Amino acid sequence: MRDLESRGVDGLIYVSGYRNQVNRVKELNIPVICVNQLEKMDETMPVIESDHEYGGYLAAKALLERGTERIIMLRDERDILPINQREQGFKAGLKEQHLRPLHISRIPFNVDAAQKK
């Protein structure tokens, strides 16, 4: 965080991360906006959040509008709220058209394996 200050950073867009880091930035008096911060920071910290469920719903609608009929959903295997919300929205979009995905596959999240490829 001291590196930010030494570089003359005027502000910071903070995408998720650790609560303690944002508090350290606040001590340096650098304006901060958090994006998709699942844990509320404090009343003075502006937060911009995505509507993950609606995003999943829109994804399903986009596929259906293009005439897609045989749909498989690939998703991260981790049990994380935004991912689960996207799946719920996606299923809701299909259900609206009396459809359901042929299969939902949970893909392993493995940074080491991805870096090797």
Side-chain angles (χ1 to χ4, degrees):
M1 293 300 148
R2 298 272 177 232
D3 189 40
L4 294 174
E5 185 177 42
S6 69
R7 293 177 186 259
V9 171
D10 291 327
L12 180 66
I13 298 173
Y14 192 72
V15 181
S16 221
Y18 297 102
R19 180 181 203 148
N20 293 341
Q21 295 298 326
V22 173
N23 290 333
R24 288 181 58 200
V25 171
K26 284 178 63 177
E27 292 170 8
L28 298 173
N29 293 320
I30 298 173
V32 179
I33 296 175
C34 295
V35 178
N36 289 334
Q37 185 69 41
L38 294 177
E39 186 177 349
K40 189 168 177 99
M41 300 313 244
D42 65 36
E43 297 302 320
T44 64
M45 186 75 59
V47 177
I48 300 168
E49 295 184 24
S50 300
D51 186 338
H52 299 287
E53 188 168 348
Y54 188 59
Y57 173 82
L58 290 176
K61 283 194 65 129
L63 288 171
L64 294 171
E65 286 170 1
R66 288 168 177 77
T68 307
E69 295 176 2
R70 299 172 41 88
I71 299 172
I72 295 174
M73 180 180 193
L74 303 177
R75 58 156 287 171
D76 189 320
E77 72 178 345
R78 296 173 297 169
D79 187 24
I80 299 174
L81 186 62
I83 296 167
N84 295 339
Q85 289 173 334
R86 284 184 208 120
E87 181 178 334
Q88 290 171 354
F90 191 75
K91 287 178 178 178
L94 294 177
K95 186 176 181 181
E96 198 173 81
Q97 298 299 317
H98 308 290
L99 296 172
R100 57 182 208 161
L102 293 176
H103 181 71
I104 296 175
S105 182
R106 292 176 173 246
I107 307 297
F109 180 81
N110 186 326
V111 174
D112 293 332
Q115 289 175 339
K116 291 177 184 176
K117 292 188 177 200

